[in-house]
Amino acid sequence: MPEELPGDDDLNLPPSFFPTEPQGEEPPQITLGEPIEVQIEGVYMAEKNGSVSHFVLLTDGERKLPILIGPFEAHAISLALENGRSDRPMTHDLLKTVIEKLDGDIDRVVIDDLWNTTYYAKIFLQKGDVEIGIDSRPSDAIAVAVRFDVPVYVSDGILEASEE
């Protein structure tokens, strides 16, 4: 095998379809507004053409935000909302136990981004005086929030977009 292949110099550059930022400039910060505290109204199922969809419905009292979730996450959120317990710990229960054993705590959950109908969330973990934001699917973040009994927030722009 040769030491160097023709074109190896190009391996250090991103492919041409990756957007690149000019050197020294910060990318523009896009904000979807301030986080607004929401309540979990419930977890629901809807059937259409033989296909079943699950969603969690969040509300700030005026606006409603339905987020499509998987059946396992729907079960995990519903079980925690009803103060139920499974025979064995679920993944979100395991995560809660690990965080608590490491002397951490969850402060809040924020659904802060929307891209092509996909929502993105962060779980904010507190360890001493250090706060760590962890990227998460909204369904997992909500399942964790219910277990830790912490508030769920949604960026105002996302709530506004849900009304359109």
Side-chain angles (χ1 to χ4, degrees):
M1 189 168 203
E3 292 280 325
E4 222 173 283
L5 296 173
D8 272 354
D9 296 343
D10 297 335
L11 294 178
N12 294 326
L13 301 174
S16 60
F17 57 83
F18 277 20
T20 57
E21 297 294 327
Q23 294 294 339
E25 289 185 31
E26 287 290 318
Q29 294 296 316
I30 298 171
T31 178
L32 291 173
E34 290 298 312
I36 307 295
E37 187 170 356
V38 296
Q39 269 50 46
I40 302 166
E41 194 165 292
V43 178
Y44 303 95
M45 282 181 11
E47 184 179 349
K48 184 176 181 181
N49 300 328
S51 177
V52 176
S53 298
H54 298 83
F55 62 96
V56 60
L57 187 60
L58 306 175
T59 182
D60 70 349
E62 296 175 18
R63 301 171 287 189
K64 294 182 186 288
L65 175 66
I67 298 179
L68 200 60
I69 59 176
F72 298 111
E73 292 80 9
H75 177 68
I77 294 168
S78 295
L79 193 65
L81 285 173
E82 298 163 1
N83 294 317
R85 294 184 60 121
S86 59
D87 295 341
R88 298 185 323 167
M90 300 174 77
T91 304
H92 305 99
D93 301 316
L94 171 65
L95 183 58
K96 182 177 191 278
T97 301
V98 169
I99 290 169
E100 289 173 341
K101 293 284 184 183
L102 294 172
D103 293 325
D105 200 12
I106 300 297
D107 179 62
R108 69 193 178 285
V109 161
V110 181
I111 299 169
D112 62 351
D113 203 359
L114 171 63
W115 178 256
N116 288 338
T117 71
T118 301
Y119 296 97
Y120 295 86
K122 287 187 182 61
I123 298 170
F124 287 91
L125 178 112
Q126 196 74 36
K127 175 79 170 125
D129 58 351
V130 176
E131 182 177 80
I132 303 165
I134 302 167
D135 289 334
S136 173
R137 296 184 305 178
S139 56
D140 290 327
I142 292 167
V144 169
V146 174
R147 282 163 174 76
F148 277 91
D149 193 27
V150 297
V152 176
Y153 294 88
V154 176
S155 293
D156 189 51
I158 292 174
L159 288 168
E160 284 296 319
S162 72
E163 292 293 299
E164 296 172 359

